[in-house]
Amino acid sequence: MNLNNILPAIIADNELHARWLNTLSLMENTGARKISASEDPVTVTYIILKHAAEEHRHAFYLKKQIEKTGTDYCPTYADEYLVASAYSKYYLNMLDVEVCRYLKKNLHLAGKELRFAAYLLVTYAIEVRADELYPIYQDALDNAGSKINVKSIILEEEGHLEEMVNQLQKFSPQWQLHADKAVEMETRLFNDWVVALSKEVN
């Protein structure tokens, strides 16, 4: 089961679609909050502030799109207003935990260095995923003739990935090796999330 099979079924059901948008909003908001939590209060950069602001805006934009489903569902991020709620919350948190474990073990990082390195790798892996997920979702929306669109998010996510690569190149000459590890972890967690999604859709 993959997103190409799941998304048309989600889009065809207004309540389910509202919960899907709310779930994406939750995940963007979680990402934004994680970026903010990793910031150093003194040395935080323009790029990090921009990135956190844009992720918050994506969370807001997706929440706003719920109105176009013709429903007034999903006032909050409570479990009943999400799709695969446990996995959707677990996915990003677990990626954070696994990346931190990897960095401690392999690069012996701690404190703010660990927080910053985890921000770089987790965000890179998530941006690689976003670059795949949002275009697939937009294609499914177009095919269904939906009023909802995520084109503005697609454009910004492409920019984010470029920015993450630039930051990673400054972080380590072996950045690609570490980034690939983070993507490997994310892929496993993402696949589990898709399985959980498919159980709610079928």
Side-chain angles (χ1 to χ4, degrees):
M1 189 53 108
N2 62 35
L3 282 178
N4 288 311
N5 308 118
I6 295 169
L7 285 170
I10 288 175
I11 292 166
D13 178 329
N14 284 337
E15 183 187 351
L16 193 55
H17 198 183
R19 288 196 287 127
W20 162 255
L21 282 162
N22 202 41
T23 303
L24 290 180
S25 177
L26 162 84
M27 292 168 109
E28 291 281 356
N29 191 46
T30 302
R33 286 167 51 229
K34 282 184 177 297
I35 292 169
S36 297
S38 75
E39 287 173 10
D40 183 277
V42 177
T43 60
V44 61
T45 62
Y46 164 84
I47 288 290
I48 294 172
L49 289 171
K50 173 177 174 282
H51 199 169
E54 285 173 354
E55 297 295 329
H56 273 302
R57 189 166 74 249
H58 295 171
F60 169 73
Y61 178 82
L62 289 159
K63 196 84 167 166
K64 186 94 177 124
Q65 294 289 300
I66 292 170
E67 293 168 12
K68 294 184 186 173
T69 63
T71 67
D72 55 0
Y73 299 119
C74 310
T76 70
Y77 292 140
D79 287 351
E80 64 265 34
Y81 304 124
L82 301 169
V83 188
S85 62
Y87 267 93
S88 299
K89 291 173 179 173
Y90 172 85
Y91 161 62
L92 279 176
N93 291 329
M94 200 59 214
L95 181 57
D96 221 2
V97 168
E98 289 192 17
V99 166
C100 285
R101 206 176 280 150
Y102 168 82
L103 288 167
K104 282 179 191 169
K105 185 182 168 190
N106 294 281
L107 297 183
H108 313 293
L109 297 178
K112 66 180 184 181
E113 284 82 12
L114 174 65
R115 278 197 306 279
F116 182 65
Y119 150 71
L120 291 178
L121 291 180
V122 170
T123 307
Y124 173 83
I126 293 299
E127 295 305 342
V128 168
R129 176 62 58 198
D131 265 20
E132 184 185 301
L133 184 150
Y134 282 112
I136 291 171
Y137 180 32
Q138 185 61 55
D139 284 347
L141 289 168
D142 290 343
N143 291 337
S146 176
K147 293 179 199 162
I148 292 162
N149 87 78
V150 289
K151 289 173 187 165
S152 62
I153 295 180
I154 291 169
L155 282 172
E156 284 189 348
E157 296 293 10
E158 285 168 0
H160 288 173
L161 187 56
E162 207 176 298
E163 288 161 2
M164 294 318 299
V165 170
N166 289 338
Q167 290 185 85
L168 279 162
Q169 285 169 339
K170 290 173 193 157
F171 165 68
S172 166
Q174 281 86 43
W175 75 270
Q176 189 72 65
L177 170 77
H178 305 311
D180 288 348
K181 273 286 176 201
V183 166
E184 199 181 292
M185 295 168 198
E186 188 279 337
T187 300
R188 194 182 66 257
L189 292 164
F190 178 80
N191 290 339
D192 289 346
W193 180 62
V194 171
V195 170
L197 283 178
S198 69
K199 286 176 182 165
E200 291 211 18
V201 172
N202 292 332

